[in-house]
Amino acid sequence: MNNKIIEHYLSKLEQLEFKFKRHVQNNNEIHIELEDSSQLIEFCNILKLDMNLRLLTMIYCDERKINHAFSLRYLLGSDTDDVFLFVILFIDKKHAYFPSLSDVFPSSIKYEREINDMFGIQTQGDTTLKPLLLHDFQKNIFPLRKDFHANTELNYTPRKFKFTPITGDGICEIPVGPIHAGIIEPGHFRFSVIGENIVNMETRLGYAHKGIEKIAENMSINNVVFLSERISGDESVANSMAFCQAIEKISQLEIPEKAKQIRLLFAELERIYNHFGTLSGILNDIGFSYGASRLEILKEYVMQLNEKLSGSRLLFGVNQIGGVKIDISNTSLVDIHSMLDNIFQNFEKILEHIQSNSSVIDRLRNTGIIEKQTANDLGVVGLSSICTGIDTDTRKNHPYGYYSSINFEQTPRTYMEHQVKLQKRIGDVLSRFMSRVDELRYSKKLIKSISNLETGEINVPLESKLTPFSSGLGYAESHRGETLHWIMIGEDNSIFRYKIRTASFANWSIIEHAVLNNIVADFPVINKSFDFSYSGNDL
Amino acid sequence: MTENNQNKIKKSDILSWNKVTFDKILQSNDMIPENFRGKISLDPDKDFVLNSQIGQNLENICPTNAISYKNTLESISLDVGKCIFCGNCQQDMPKLIKISNNFDMAKKRKTHLLEVFPESVPFGKTYEEIGDELKNKINKTFGRSLAIREIDAGSCNGCEIEISALTNPIYDIEQFGMHFVASPRHADLLLVTGPASKNMEKALKIAYESTPEPKLVIAVGACACSGGIFGKNYATTGGIDSIVPVDVFIPGCPPRPQAILYGIMLALDKI
């Protein structure tokens, strides 16, 4: 099935007037190396227009040890077919810069800033990129280069960050953060307002930067599973699943069917408790604490269920390379089903109450609107994109694990597209609220679709030694959206490069557009309706 | 799940909507499942003999270097502050390492988080202990209400989920006279999470300085205690006690809401 799609894409590529080397690996990855690298922008533009591909991430890698050059992989993906395109560019000493793709994919700017910070390589001609992750670090420190050691003691000198100046009559600036009023993660927001209306907002993140990608290079691959769970605490299953799947792909390890089922169960349980939490947060931010408290109770209830099953309220320690650690019996499966029934019965009651409350609906409707074109340009994924009608569900487009044996005909996203056509969903907070509700119902349906667990092992050992410098892409759909983990294996089963792109990283920039023309007091609810992870962005 | 477990769920049936809040959270152990990975300790069986192979093996298996084996002394030590409760060591050596579902792990001194086997014998009252007694008197000045400010110094947001769970109707921290405030200037107590990323160092210092005296600082979670799985690297400082003085360390990855409450109570000497 998949071979046909790959062949279709390859034949399409052959028709183009470019010369390139190509090879296919890991079933759905096409790697392309252009002979003339100056044609890159043109090539990507054609891929975007003709094949409807979008930029997923840019992976920079210090391969001076193997190829005597830095490598840059543009990862492009399709929203309809299970195919990933890697366009590889080698950057050697002669020209220490790469072409900027920002004219083709505006979302590339964020990746270019990241590369500038972590590797010190700039885009061609542009020297005005703002720092993204490293704040007061000394100059000429590039943490992800191979000649930098993770434990280096550095000097830190305060450096001023230049926010875009917004001036004019009556324009005031409001700085917010990095420590916020609520119990949330650190980040800085700079509002420029006229009266109550926001005319510009600039985010400055990176406060939670912990050097995850670097320290993974010094850990054994079994320990990196624990690290990947802690990229963002509430996405622990999705992130560790993406990591494990990448390693399993590289080593061509087929995990038992039962392990796949258990992974799906935990991934969906994670989605359920997080969506309850976000819905409760949205209601809390508009002052409807009755509904918020009720949903908090449901969230707590799912977390207690998590703990009974796995020993951890946040589902830490569920995945391992080659399967799962936690076994679930058929009797507990029945318990899960009955508990979910109970929880959702109450949820529907609460929802009825919320939807009949005009003060809630009025506050949510037409607040924080994002446009489809903006979401498309910025490469937004997950729930934040689906509320405008862009379909980026990894579970459906790139089925992995047990999801590939599930029939995805009527997903909440197709339902949502229909609603978008009817102009009922316009990308506001209400449409994100309702799409979370649809997701919740769908997650429950997915869990209930597993009526019987397979028998047999729940994990298989990783025996073979991994080939040095082989790479693979692992992916999973977290409750925030598409999560990508790209891994290149080093010598002795170590990790040479671990590139993580969480949904949060791809999505953060949309918030600067969503708040425009809203009042400052609505910012918390707009922010919560997206529910991005700061830690997952900063790594 | 056994039938017994199902009864337990019914006992605290949140969904019956009648009574939701638990009055005695710290006593109601029955809502914590058996397999929750809580208190970890070195508790050897009678027939257990430590040798260098077991020691080395445990040292290697631990992802955060919480376990270290000293060859010369033939002793093994466990730093609960560094532990992320993955359960690897217990699987490997159930005779030595025991994990129970208790949560009362918070300690006032970082050195108290360290367990050693075979144990060395402590002697006399230390300088710190005398200082602690003095501090207890200061604690009384807070009276019966406590304003808490939470500061995230780069955590993975797992600890934030558990801290915000404290405010939900089930744990309902306000029943003890504690509430979360919006600014460190209004706070008596700072709950700090995360391995203290370098980028947050300055903000954490400013927040600490703007908290009025007398003040308490609690390090929540493995990261805040020791750096956790991130340790000390170019971007983290390896525990918040390298930036601000800490009164209580709460281990756990993340610590469950009861454990956080136990730590706060310990800080106030109400336990």
Side-chain angles (χ1 to χ4, degrees):
Chain A
M1 179 69 193
N2 200 29
N3 284 338
K4 268 186 194 167
I5 297 171
I6 294 284
E7 268 165 33
H8 173 68
Y9 270 83
L10 286 178
S11 68
K12 258 187 171 181
L13 282 170
E14 297 294 341
Q15 287 163 18
L16 300 177
E17 290 168 359
F18 296 94
K19 283 182 183 168
F20 54 81
K21 286 182 276 185
R22 60 160 177 87
H23 71 275
V24 179
Q25 91 182 35
N26 300 336
N27 289 330
N28 58 0
E29 298 174 9
I30 304 175
H31 293 246
I32 295 166
E33 193 187 326
L34 282 179
E35 275 180 16
D36 183 4
S37 60
S38 59
Q39 290 176 328
L40 181 101
I41 297 176
E42 212 181 320
F43 183 63
C44 286
N45 200 16
I46 287 174
L47 290 185
K48 180 192 173 186
L49 297 176
D50 284 7
M51 299 193 189
N52 216 358
L53 297 179
R54 67 189 165 89
L55 183 71
L56 301 181
T57 184
M58 281 160 64
I59 304 161
Y60 211 82
C61 185
D62 183 354
E63 292 179 21
R64 284 178 294 179
K65 226 168 95 187
I66 355 166
N67 290 332
H68 302 287
F70 290 99
S71 71
L72 175 57
R73 288 171 174 81
Y74 294 90
L75 173 54
L76 306 167
S78 158
D79 283 343
T80 45
D81 298 321
D82 182 15
V83 64
F84 291 103
L85 237 83
F86 289 77
V87 184
I88 308 174
L89 194 68
F90 285 103
I91 294 149
D92 50 21
K93 274 181 197 162
K94 274 180 240 158
H95 39 83
Y97 52 79
F98 58 91
S100 170
L101 266 191
S102 55
D103 289 342
V104 186
F105 299 107
S107 57
S108 73
I109 289 190
K110 218 180 158 191
Y111 301 105
E112 284 161 12
R113 281 171 72 185
E114 187 199 15
I115 291 167
N116 189 17
D117 263 21
M118 306 309 273
F119 291 95
I121 307 286
Q122 281 171 339
T123 47
Q124 199 164 5
D126 192 353
T127 50
T128 55
L129 283 181
K130 290 179 185 179
L132 187 71
L133 299 172
L134 309 179
H135 290 181
D136 291 342
F137 286 58
Q138 66 192 58
K139 280 188 179 164
N140 299 326
I141 287 297
F142 308 117
L144 283 178
R145 287 195 182 190
K146 284 287 167 190
D147 43 18
F148 179 87
H149 293 282
N151 296 329
T152 317
E153 289 275 339
L154 299 175
N155 298 321
Y156 298 88
T157 43
R159 270 200 272 163
K160 212 170 173 187
F161 184 82
K162 285 189 193 114
F163 288 98
T164 312
I166 307 288
T167 49
D169 272 354
I171 293 189
C172 297
E173 263 193 1
I174 309 175
V176 178
I179 299 174
H180 297 278
I183 305 172
I184 54 167
E185 297 172 72
H188 183 94
F189 303 106
R190 186 65 62 99
F191 296 96
S192 300
V193 292
I194 294 185
E196 281 257 56
N197 287 334
I198 301 168
V199 289
N200 187 47
M201 199 267 278
E202 193 170 350
T203 50
R204 187 196 187 196
L205 299 175
Y207 289 93
H209 178 63
K210 297 179 279 285
I212 291 178
E213 289 180 358
K214 184 71 187 179
I215 57 177
E217 292 171 7
N218 299 330
M219 292 169 100
S220 76
I221 52 171
N222 284 323
N223 287 347
V224 179
V225 182
F226 296 121
L227 185 68
S228 68
E229 282 171 351
R230 284 153 184 87
I231 289 166
S232 176
D234 50 4
E235 293 173 7
S236 59
V237 178
N239 276 320
S240 57
M241 190 151 75
F243 172 76
C244 292
Q245 279 169 353
I247 298 283
E248 285 151 13
K249 229 176 166 187
I250 295 168
S251 62
Q252 293 174 344
L253 191 71
E254 186 61 34
I255 70 165
E257 203 67 4
K258 188 176 185 187
K260 287 182 186 171
Q261 286 181 321
I262 294 176
R263 278 185 180 176
L264 182 140
L265 276 178
F266 281 125
E268 295 304 324
L269 280 174
E270 178 178 77
R271 205 182 311 279
I272 288 176
Y273 88 77
N274 277 305
H275 282 325
F276 278 143
T278 312
L279 293 180
S280 154
I282 292 173
L283 295 178
N284 198 33
D285 282 340
I286 57 165
F288 187 59
S289 37
Y290 170 74
S293 298
R294 280 233 160 160
L295 290 172
E296 278 273 298
I297 295 171
L298 297 184
K299 177 189 178 186
E300 176 68 26
Y301 205 60
V302 182
M303 285 174 82
Q304 289 181 10
L305 175 64
N306 288 346
E307 192 178 37
K308 282 185 185 98
L309 295 170
S310 74
S312 165
R313 287 160 56 86
L314 299 181
L315 298 170
F316 282 176
V318 168
N319 283 319
Q320 71 173 58
I321 295 168
V324 288
K325 283 183 190 155
I326 314 290
D327 199 358
I328 293 183
S329 65
N330 267 330
T331 42
S332 351
L333 188 69
V334 177
D335 281 357
I336 297 172
H337 287 179
S338 69
M339 260 182 237
L340 283 182
D341 278 341
N342 217 338
I343 287 168
F344 274 81
Q345 206 181 342
N346 283 290
F347 175 62
E348 298 295 340
K349 264 193 229 165
I350 300 165
L351 194 67
E352 208 174 294
H353 194 95
I354 292 166
Q355 281 178 318
S356 62
N357 194 325
S358 56
S359 70
V360 172
I361 300 297
D362 276 355
R363 190 71 196 281
L364 300 183
R365 182 173 285 150
N366 291 337
T367 307
I369 296 176
I370 51 173
E371 306 223 341
K372 189 171 181 178
Q373 187 58 46
T374 323
N376 224 342
D377 285 347
L378 293 175
V380 173
V381 295
L383 266 168
S384 324
S385 71
I386 194 270
C387 69
T388 60
I390 304 169
D391 188 4
T392 61
D393 193 337
T394 321
R395 295 175 290 175
K396 185 177 133 197
N397 302 338
H398 306 288
Y400 54 91
Y402 200 70
Y403 289 108
S404 39
S405 42
I406 284 172
N407 188 8
F408 272 93
E409 264 172 24
Q410 183 64 37
T411 67
R413 307 207 165 184
T414 43
Y415 169 73
M416 178 60 75
E417 273 171 7
H418 179 64
Q419 298 272 305
V420 170
K421 272 180 205 140
L422 294 176
Q423 293 280 308
K424 281 192 174 172
R425 298 281 193 273
I426 49 172
D428 57 355
V429 176
L430 183 64
S431 50
R432 286 189 282 281
F433 188 95
M434 291 317 292
S435 47
R436 273 176 211 280
V437 172
D438 293 335
E439 280 282 294
L440 270 167
R441 289 180 183 143
Y442 190 65
S443 287
K444 182 198 161 204
K445 214 170 125 189
L446 279 179
I447 292 182
K448 294 209 83 172
S449 75
I450 299 180
S451 54
N452 197 13
L453 288 168
E454 306 276 329
T455 49
E457 292 288 304
I458 54 166
N459 53 50
V460 286
L462 178 72
E463 274 163 2
S464 61
K465 209 165 171 290
L466 302 171
T467 334
F469 310 116
S470 54
S471 64
L473 181 76
Y475 40 87
E477 178 87 359
S478 75
H479 64 279
R480 298 195 170 93
E482 178 187 70
T483 303
L484 303 168
H485 290 221
W486 185 82
I487 292 157
M488 186 180 243
I489 296 292
E491 283 147 352
D492 301 326
N493 273 14
S494 66
I495 286 187
F496 188 75
R497 173 89 169 95
Y498 184 15
K499 165 73 190 171
I500 304 154
R501 204 231 56 198
T502 58
S504 306
F505 191 89
N507 287 357
W508 254 110
S509 38
I510 192 74
I511 203 160
E512 295 179 353
H513 298 266
V515 295
L516 294 182
N517 294 323
N518 284 273
I519 60 172
V520 179
D522 273 343
F523 173 69
V525 65
I526 297 171
N527 191 4
K528 192 70 205 177
S529 74
F530 287 110
D531 187 34
F532 299 141
S533 162
Y534 298 66
S535 176
N537 175 75
D538 302 345
L539 299 176
Chain B
M1 235 172 276
T2 59
E3 205 183 310
N4 191 16
N5 264 349
Q6 279 182 344
N7 286 340
K8 275 181 192 169
I9 295 151
K10 266 181 199 149
K11 200 171 169 187
S12 56
D13 194 357
I14 304 153
L15 295 168
S16 63
W17 306 109
N18 297 327
K19 192 181 176 199
V20 161
T21 310
F22 290 94
D23 335 307
K24 292 179 181 166
I25 292 181
L26 294 180
Q27 274 90 45
S28 56
N29 251 342
D30 59 331
M31 63 184 286
I32 303 174
E34 292 286 302
N35 62 351
F36 165 64
R37 290 189 292 275
K39 195 170 194 168
I40 180 166
S41 56
L42 298 174
D43 181 13
D45 288 352
K46 274 177 190 165
D47 57 337
F48 175 76
V49 186
L50 182 67
N51 60 35
S52 61
Q53 201 201 338
I54 294 176
Q56 298 287 355
N57 204 7
L58 282 174
E59 199 177 278
N60 291 338
I61 210 166
C62 181
T64 59
N65 305 324
I67 299 175
S68 61
Y69 176 72
K70 288 209 175 67
N71 229 338
T72 47
L73 299 167
E74 288 213 339
S75 74
I76 194 160
S77 63
L78 167 72
D79 189 347
V80 184
K82 283 186 182 167
C83 179
I84 57 166
F85 301 84
C86 62
N88 269 359
C89 53
Q90 192 209 17
Q91 261 178 9
D92 191 61
M93 194 43 65
K95 277 187 174 175
L96 175 65
I97 286 162
K98 302 279 169 7
I99 296 182
S100 73
N101 67 347
N102 289 344
F103 53 80
D104 48 342
M105 286 176 283
K107 291 281 160 31
K108 286 193 169 181
R109 296 249 162 265
K110 205 169 184 178
T111 47
H112 294 175
L113 293 173
L114 197 73
E115 275 193 46
V116 184
F117 170 77
E119 262 177 277
S120 54
V121 189
F123 49 91
K125 242 184 197 176
T126 60
Y127 181 74
E128 280 92 4
E129 279 171 293
I130 301 166
D132 280 347
E133 277 172 21
L134 191 72
K135 221 172 193 176
N136 292 346
K137 288 176 188 162
I138 301 169
N139 291 345
K140 283 178 187 155
T141 47
F142 284 125
R144 295 169 67 182
S145 117
L146 183 75
I148 304 171
R149 173 67 239 164
E150 193 268 344
I151 296 175
D152 181 334
S155 94
C156 74
N157 83 24
C159 293
E160 273 61 49
I161 290 180
E162 296 298 48
I163 290 172
S164 54
L166 275 175
T167 61
N168 75 17
I170 290 149
Y171 298 103
D172 188 23
I173 197 172
E174 300 225 0
Q175 65 181 311
F176 304 110
M178 300 174 204
H179 58 282
F180 287 93
V181 291
S183 161
R185 288 183 203 282
H186 307 153
D188 304 316
L189 187 150
L190 299 179
L191 280 180
V192 190
T193 63
S197 65
K198 284 282 182 194
N199 292 342
M200 273 303 283
E201 192 176 357
K202 195 170 142 200
L204 179 57
K205 264 186 197 156
I206 294 173
Y208 178 77
E209 278 157 20
S210 31
T211 311
E213 294 276 359
K215 53 193 163 193
L216 292 165
V217 178
I218 298 183
V220 181
C223 293
C225 292
S226 67
I229 197 157
F230 308 107
K232 187 176 176 348
N233 65 30
Y234 75 97
T236 63
T237 55
I240 59 156
D241 60 337
S242 60
I243 301 173
V244 292
V246 177
D247 296 278
V248 167
F249 296 90
I250 306 177
C253 192
R256 56 183 305 118
Q258 286 103 325
I260 298 170
L261 193 62
Y262 179 86
I264 296 172
M265 294 285 205
L266 189 72
L268 293 174
D269 264 340
K270 283 188 174 166
I271 285 177

